[in-house]
Amino acid sequence: MAGLDKRVATYEEALEGLTDNMTVLAGGFGLCGIPENLIAEIKRRGVKGLTVVSNNCGVDGFGLGVLLEQHQIRKMVASYVGENAEFERQLLSGELEVELTPQGTLAEKMRAGGAGIPAFYTATGYGTPVAEGKEVREFNGRKYIMEEAITGDFAIVKGWKADHYGNVVYRNTAQNFNPLAATAGKITVVEVEEIVEPGVLLPSEIHTPGIYVDRVIVGTFEKRIEKRTVKA
Amino acid sequence: MALTREQMAQRVARELKDGYYVNLGIGIPTLVANYVPADMDVMLQSENGLLGMGEFPTEAQLDADMINAGKQTVTARRGASIFNSAESFAMIRGGHVDLTVLGAFEVDVEGNIASWMIPGKLVKGMGGAMDLVAGADNIIVTMTHASKDGESKLLSRCSLPLTGAGCIRKVLTDLAYLEIENGAFILRETAPGVSVEEIIEKTAGKLIVADDVKEMTF
């Protein structure tokens, strides 16, 4: 198993090779299923000029929001942002570039990137500002725009459990973009709540097969809730 | 009287059918879940990756890993499934969702919808709205008929950047239920006590009053 043992012991090791101006794909939806400790490690390393691809950009002081504090993100590719004041400030002052991408297109861009498909056509965004500058083609009487795939130098992913081989399962809706990001990183790093012995996870229940995963680390998570809502 | 938010949700709920898979947007659309008839089984899709959204949790059930597309904590109902975001949007883009209900700033007689961007104001993003309007056949837009200043939101041409082109056929406002056909709004139903004249006055786009226009009852 030696060559297939993806476990690393420290977060420093987990993100070894991450340098300025790289593209990082991050899993998560809002604050649900975000790789909290890998984000903290990016902050600690102080790398700058990053392009970050993630559905959202965290909040002030938590999630990807912490990377804004030292201006580590140059460009954000996301479907919905601005839950944080610092993000808004950097956007309005022109320090931060934002490429707003429809949520389904963003997911499919990552999926395509991981699957070796350079581009695809979708009806989403046709006739809207998203279509500007993009090729339009008609199929069966309907217009579609061409969207290009996304890959990253690194993918940072939050799983629930993984085994030594890097097989990963996710918990509930913390799955979201994580398995897609996992397929599309040149180096894919997964942090999990628990690393289990090989054989514990059933082959048929694996969400992300280990072939996509380069490094696995176990962490502890705050799991902050963005909109705590309970039954009246 | 203009419809209340609850009445709007109630009216939308009359479009539900037993066995439907439904995606409800944030705001009034979310309230539709409260009016699913007891004899119907309807499965709610939440685009962050949950088919079969249940009620809000009790304190004991609260789970940071279980949220809806509005980022609220929720539960999963019996028969639910959970999947990744690409799978979720395959359902939406592939036309598998039977009914989509969402809000808007404007719609027009060509079925265009604007719901995500007001130039000059901070743009937060479209989230999944562009995918939902492009992917679904059966969409109901819920919104107020006119702005607070009395400006009509039912136009001959949307003035704001679009969320989708030519994809809207049904609109429920606080004053009326309308359909969009052949470049016009067709007035099908009026809110109780709201006159056809008031709706004509507050509709900027071409409006045709259906011969059999009805008054809604609650």
Side-chain angles (χ1 to χ4, degrees):
Chain A
M1 180 172 100
L4 293 175
D5 188 347
K6 310 290 172 74
R7 293 173 297 167
V8 297
T10 66
Y11 275 92
E12 192 170 355
E13 223 180 315
L15 287 185
E16 195 182 301
L18 180 71
T19 55
D20 289 354
N21 305 314
M22 280 186 163
T23 296
V24 177
L25 314 181
F29 183 95
L31 300 180
C32 182
I34 58 171
E36 300 176 14
N37 303 295
L38 291 168
I39 293 167
E41 171 63 14
I42 294 176
K43 182 180 179 186
R44 193 197 65 78
R45 295 176 92 92
V47 290
K48 292 206 184 330
L50 298 175
T51 295
V52 175
V53 183
S54 168
N55 191 54
N56 315 93
C57 192
V59 296
D60 287 312
F62 195 67
L64 290 167
V66 303
L67 301 184
L68 296 168
E69 293 160 12
Q70 294 164 60
H71 300 81
Q72 291 176 270
I73 303 177
R74 180 185 64 79
K75 180 178 175 181
M76 189 73 212
V77 180
S79 87
Y80 193 83
V81 292
E83 299 290 0
N84 30 8
E86 181 59 16
F87 189 96
E88 194 174 326
R89 196 195 63 71
Q90 290 188 22
L91 179 61
L92 294 173
S93 69
E95 296 162 68
L96 178 66
E97 188 187 335
V98 177
E99 185 177 319
L100 291 172
T101 304
Q103 198 176 131
T105 295
L106 186 63
E108 194 65 13
K109 278 171 171 264
M110 288 192 198
R111 198 195 70 79
I117 296 166
F120 56 91
Y121 290 93
T122 178
T124 299
Y126 172 73
T128 79
V130 165
E132 278 166 24
K134 289 174 186 162
E135 183 192 322
V136 175
R137 258 185 83 171
E138 193 171 311
F139 297 92
N140 303 316
R142 190 165 186 207
K143 300 264 184 36
Y144 296 79
I145 59 174
M146 190 179 78
E147 292 281 8
E148 292 185 35
I150 294 180
T151 55
D153 298 296
F154 272 80
I156 57 171
V157 170
K158 159 67 174 56
W160 179 25
K161 296 176 188 174
D163 64 20
H164 305 195
Y165 289 95
N167 294 310
V168 185
V169 295
Y170 305 91
R171 188 170 173 279
N172 293 342
T173 62
Q175 183 172 166
N176 56 60
F177 283 82
N178 279 298
L180 307 164
T183 64
K186 284 196 195 90
I187 297 176
T188 290
V189 187
V190 183
E191 59 171 334
V192 293
E193 294 169 44
E194 187 183 356
I195 295 182
V196 298
E197 289 296 318
V200 170
L201 301 176
L202 295 176
S204 60
E205 71 177 342
I206 304 295
H207 292 120
T208 293
I211 192 169
Y212 295 113
V213 175
D214 298 284
R215 301 170 191 168
V216 174
I217 186 163
V218 66
T220 54
F221 299 85
E222 178 186 335
K223 293 197 189 182
R224 194 178 294 185
I225 294 175
E226 205 165 340
K227 292 183 185 165
R228 178 194 177 90
T229 313
V230 293
K231 216 188 297 195
Chain B
M1 278 282 284
L3 300 182
T4 63
R5 290 162 57 86
E6 282 70 23
Q7 285 174 319
M8 288 177 73
Q10 253 178 294
R11 174 61 192 83
V12 170
R14 291 176 193 165
E15 302 293 316
L16 296 171
K17 292 199 172 89
D18 194 19
Y20 259 17
Y21 295 97
V22 180
N23 184 293
L24 301 175
I26 292 164
I28 291 166
T30 304
L31 301 176
V32 175
N34 300 335
Y35 297 100
V36 179
D39 58 347
M40 276 191 198
D41 200 2
V42 165
M43 196 76 93
L44 300 178
Q45 205 255 15
S46 192
E47 64 267 23
N48 58 316
L50 170 61
L51 184 63
M53 181 168 56
E55 297 182 325
F56 292 125
T58 61
E59 287 286 345
Q61 291 171 319
L62 197 71
D63 180 352
D65 290 336
M66 184 63 91
I67 65 167
N68 64 17
K71 293 158 190 161
Q72 296 169 305
T73 43
V74 290
T75 58
R77 54 159 277 180
R78 189 186 298 264
S81 54
I82 291 171
F83 32 81
N84 70 55
S85 299
E87 183 82 53
S88 184
F89 282 92
M91 291 172 196
I92 291 165
R93 294 165 169 229
H96 303 279
V97 176
D98 298 300
L99 175 66
T100 293
V101 186
L102 76 176
F105 301 141
E106 298 173 345
V107 292
D108 71 27
V109 295
E110 301 301 333
N112 297 320
I113 173 171
S115 66
W116 71 287
M117 181 181 181
I118 297 177
K121 287 199 182 168
L122 184 75
V123 180
K124 290 192 168 188
M126 67 293 282
M130 286 191 181
D131 305 282
L132 284 159
V133 297
D137 264 344
N138 190 14
I139 303 169
I140 301 177
V141 171
T142 59
M143 59 182 201
T144 55
H145 208 97
S147 70
K148 286 183 185 118
D149 321 323
E151 294 284 325
S152 179
K153 297 180 177 182
L154 283 74
L155 308 173
S156 33
R157 186 90 195 158
C158 287
S159 65
L160 297 169
L162 298 185
T163 307
C167 39
I168 305 302
R169 299 281 164 269
K170 298 174 182 174
V171 184
L172 177 74
T173 73
D174 54 342
L175 304 182
Y177 172 70
L178 311 99
E179 292 177 355
I180 301 172
E181 279 171 30
N182 303 318
F185 294 108
I186 315 292
L187 176 61
R188 298 278 180 205
E189 297 172 33
T190 59
V194 172
S195 68
V196 170
E197 289 68 31
E198 180 181 349
I199 293 162
I200 292 172
E201 187 198 326
K202 289 185 174 164
T203 306
K206 183 178 175 189
L207 180 75
I208 295 169
V209 180
D211 295 339
D212 58 346
V213 62
K214 293 186 197 67
E215 187 177 77
M216 294 175 210
T217 52
F218 290 92

